Amino acid sequence: MREHTVERAALRADCGQCFGLCCVALPFARSADFAIDKDAGKPCPNLGTDHRCGIHAELRDRGFTGCTVYDCFGAGQQVSQVTFGGQDWRTGPPERARLVFDVFPVVRQLHELLWYLTEALTLPAARPVHPDLRRVLAETERLTDGTPEELAALDVAAHRQRVNALLLRTSELVRSGTRGRKKNRRNADLMGARLRGADLAGADLRGAYLIAADLTGADLRGADLIGADLRDADLTDADLTGAFFLTQPQLTAARGGAGTRLPGSVTRPVHWTAGR
């Protein structure tokens, strides 16, 4: 099989090429993350006619922190410019708009899987499963190029399950290279946990609830963080070198500072203060 890779740039949101789909297609509820309730398919009142957010620079101050930590992994421009050929959902019939809103979450899930698969192919320890990863990556890419009707009918949960089996094997191979006993905290409830300075090197933290956990100075080197909820977790001076399957939205939802060491797959959030 030929080498098959996805450019990471295509898996990053390009709002200038999107018709504000995340601001319309997705629902949200009044909470600490959102100041108001909004139904799926209903435009956010802050969305302008130019498909831009009218309060983008003030989202955190206006109670829309949830918007600042959301990432479509490039699904917005894929659906807007490729799946629907640049057709604005506002200008077509209601049936097409509904189809756009149905397709967007599906493509978002596929693009997230592409992100993980692409990262897995950069991990030398996962070399034994690289051929399978490339095969599934190519299959996932083909799915993203489907027609709107094909995408709307796709059993994306079943596809995620197949991909997840490979990502689990990838995790085992990568974490096996970490010396010492690797903690298994998969899906653990660690909300508000006091984990200051904890040795979590090579830990399995898949799906762990780390909301508001104190991870100051924790050793997270080589940890699997896929799906971990890091909202308001304190990563000040934590070492995440070599941590994998960590996405930008996860990191942006956390707190940290200049002393937080990060893997190369993510960038330091702009709201982290240099003095932390």
Side-chain angles (χ1 to χ4, degrees):
M1 180 178 291
R2 68 183 178 87
E3 186 77 12
H4 200 100
T5 60
V6 177
E7 290 294 332
R8 273 289 174 95
L11 300 177
R12 299 184 189 275
D14 183 353
C15 298
Q17 296 297 313
C18 176
F19 296 126
L21 299 189
C22 65
C23 304
V24 185
L26 307 178
F28 50 73
R30 185 190 298 269
S31 62
D33 294 321
F34 297 101
I36 60 173
D37 295 318
K38 189 190 82 65
D39 295 330
K42 179 181 178 181
C44 174
N46 298 312
L47 183 67
T49 56
D50 59 354
H51 301 295
R52 300 292 182 271
C53 175
I55 62 168
H56 186 268
E58 307 168 26
L59 284 168
R60 287 181 176 274
D61 294 336
R62 300 280 287 272
F64 289 87
T65 302
C67 297
T68 69
V69 301
Y70 178 79
D71 193 328
C72 71
F73 295 97
Q77 64 259 30
Q78 173 73 17
V79 173
S80 296
Q81 303 300 330
V82 179
T83 310
F84 288 89
Q87 295 179 316
D88 187 340
W89 58 268
R90 291 185 194 256
T91 61
E95 297 77 20
R96 191 180 73 197
R98 283 194 293 270
L99 186 56
V100 172
F101 304 149
D102 287 342
V103 165
F104 173 66
V106 173
V107 177
R108 196 270 182 190
Q109 291 189 64
L110 293 174
H111 272 225
E112 183 180 11
L113 293 176
L114 288 174
W115 181 273
Y116 292 136
L117 289 165
T118 302
E119 180 174 356
L121 284 167
T122 70
L123 303 173
R127 191 168 288 112
V129 292
H130 277 188
D132 290 333
L133 287 167
R134 293 190 187 96
R135 173 181 53 78
V136 174
L137 177 68
E139 178 186 351
T140 306
E141 271 201 291
R142 285 194 295 271
L143 290 175
T144 67
D145 289 331
T147 66
E149 291 74 20
E150 289 170 340
L151 287 163
L154 178 66
D155 186 350
V156 71
H159 185 68
R160 287 188 73 99
Q161 190 171 13
R162 291 195 298 274
V163 173
N164 190 51
L166 272 177
L167 297 180
L168 279 168
R169 180 57 181 148
T170 297
S171 177
E172 292 167 357
L173 289 167
V174 175
R175 292 185 300 105
S176 67
T178 302
R179 292 182 179 181
R181 183 171 175 267
K182 275 78 70 177
K183 294 181 175 64
N184 182 358
R185 310 306 293 269
R186 186 185 303 180
N187 299 321
D189 184 352
L190 299 170
M191 291 190 289
R194 298 177 180 177
L195 297 168
R196 179 182 291 259
D199 180 7
L200 294 169
D204 183 353
L205 290 165
R206 298 170 65 91
Y209 295 94
L210 289 158
I211 302 169
D214 182 4
L215 289 160
T216 304
D219 185 354
L220 291 157
R221 290 176 296 171
D224 181 352
L225 290 166
I226 194 168
D229 194 335
L230 295 171
R231 282 178 292 170
D232 206 33
D234 193 346
L235 296 173
T236 301
D237 296 330
D239 190 350
L240 287 84
T241 306
F244 57 101
F245 297 151
L246 172 68
T247 66
Q248 195 65 46
Q250 285 173 289
L251 193 64
T252 303
R255 294 180 287 129
T260 306
R261 282 153 286 184
L262 301 174
S265 58
V266 292
T267 59
R268 197 173 305 276
V270 295
H271 68 279
W272 286 10
T273 59
R276 289 299 303 271

